[in-house]
Amino acid sequence: MLRTRLASYAARSTSSRGRRFEEPGPDYRSEFQRDRDRVIHSTAFRRLVYKTQVFVNHEGDLYRTRLTHSLEVAQIARTVARAMQLNEDLVEAISLAHDLGHTPFGHAGQDALNECMREYGGFEHNLQSLRVVDLLEESYASFPGLNLTFETREGILKHCSVRNARELGELGVRFIERQQPGLEAQIANIADEIAYNNHDVDDGLRSGLITLEQLAEIPFFKEQLDWVRRQYPSIAPSRANREVIRRMIDVLVSDLIQISEDCVREAAPEHIDDVRAQAVPLIRFSAPFVEVQRTLKEFLRSHLYTHPRVAQMTRQAHETIGFLFDAFFADFDRLPVEHAARARQDQTTKGRAGAARVVADYVAGMTDRFALQTREALAGLK
Ligand code: MG
């Protein structure tokens, strides 16, 4: 049964902790709908379509990109939120924004940029997503960034070192005091894991880099596969794959909703701040499904993410990001005019680390193909 009333411990846009820059409330939308809409209209969101999830964007039209990944996260998160009488608009805003800070070339790109930034405070995509919505988007006349609500920003910042947390004011407090975010943020976080584990299995099978036989070694996968083959003995293999993945997502989401509802009932929070004060997250799987998620993740790490063909992409990504960072950091004139001006200004006010951050922001914002084109153009200049 679908319920539409919000639970007392759900996030409410009418009692939001607010935006960094005060604004009049929207006339026809809730504050969280407005957040979601600002994310959708941002340039960083549009770029996600040309950013790698696992496979580089030009490797094929059917693989997930950061954009379709984010849409799948939002779909799963909304289902859970609605079933639990939590704020669907907020989980959607968080889900769509959670990967805005991703570099080109997926995790390989982030690792490479982190190495480039080692002496200058490092680079972390999750923190960068917050930086995008707080600072780097330049679309509004009266404030920098998207000026999102506290609750959406709380959800975007999934993890953070204590050192970085100290610089984040109210948003960093929970990492220092070891508290939880609201349930909507917890849902978006787990929906992310459910989405990538399953769609990476799907894309891995589609690419031929992993096989059904390998996957059948995972009991959870085999259980679903056997069921599908029993019910549909003459089903085409690719259709069977899709059906298995659809069923895996369904089983995982059902377990998540049931167990989380039990946890919430037991903890009996009355207000979102009671949720925040908990020692552990209330949105979670049962123990067997924590294990399923761990097994899927481990399988993908050892069979897909480290597959020689993916590893080759990883090496190219490392080289490209390293090349771009070094080229821009050595000569600001290679940057677009406004970035060059900012790099000079920040170098004067904040030192070399300030300029490095401007370069990292610029490189991180690139799409896969723009990074490759820029590398070629800069190499041609030499
Ligand atoms: Mg993600």
Side-chain angles (χ1 to χ4, degrees), residues 66 69 98-99 192:
R66 277 288 151 200
H69 160 70
H98 85 284
D99 272 350
D192 186 21

Side-chain angles (χ1 to χ4, degrees), residues 53 66 69-70 73 98-99 102 125 158 192 196:
Q53 183 66 28
R66 277 288 151 200
H69 160 70
S70 301
V73 174
H98 85 284
D99 272 350
H102 253 291
H125 73 84
K158 283 192 274 195
D192 186 21
Y196 68 64

Side-chain angles (χ1 to χ4, degrees), residues 96-223:
L96 295 180
H98 85 284
D99 272 350
L100 289 179
H102 253 291
T103 60
F105 314 118
H107 285 278
Q110 133 150 340
D111 293 346
L113 199 51
N114 190 31
E115 273 175 34
C116 297
M117 288 293 287
R118 195 180 295 149
E119 290 171 42
Y120 309 109
F123 179 91
E124 207 273 296
H125 73 84
N126 193 224
L127 209 54
Q128 189 71 6
S129 294
L130 189 68
R131 209 170 145 73
V132 168
V133 301
D134 279 357
L135 201 66
L136 300 179
E137 278 290 321
E138 293 182 313
S139 312
Y140 298 86
S142 50
F143 48 78
L146 304 178
N147 197 29
L148 302 181
T149 60
F150 174 87
E151 291 75 11
T152 302
R153 296 170 64 239
E154 175 186 47
I156 292 173
L157 194 64
K158 283 192 274 195
H159 34 76
C160 177
S161 66
V162 171
R163 183 172 58 88
N164 286 329
R166 290 210 177 91
E167 288 166 25
L168 291 171
E170 195 189 6
L171 204 63
V173 170
R174 87 165 195 264
F175 300 98
I176 298 163
E177 299 188 355
R178 293 176 181 277
Q179 294 184 330
Q180 308 304 316
L183 295 177
E184 287 81 359
Q186 296 180 30
I187 288 172
N189 188 10
I190 296 200
D192 186 21
E193 282 180 30
I194 297 176
Y196 68 64
N197 274 339
N198 285 283
H199 66 47
D200 288 355
V201 167
D202 189 23
D203 284 352
L205 282 169
R206 192 188 297 280
S207 68
L209 298 190
I210 55 177
T211 64
L212 267 188
E213 290 64 38
Q214 290 172 324
L215 274 161
E217 286 168 21
I218 302 173
F220 177 59
F221 185 92
K222 183 156 189 329
E223 220 173 276

Side-chain angles (χ1 to χ4, degrees), residues 66 125 225 305 352 356 362:
R66 277 288 151 200
H125 73 84
L225 182 63
Y305 307 147
R352 207 59 183 141
Y362 182 61

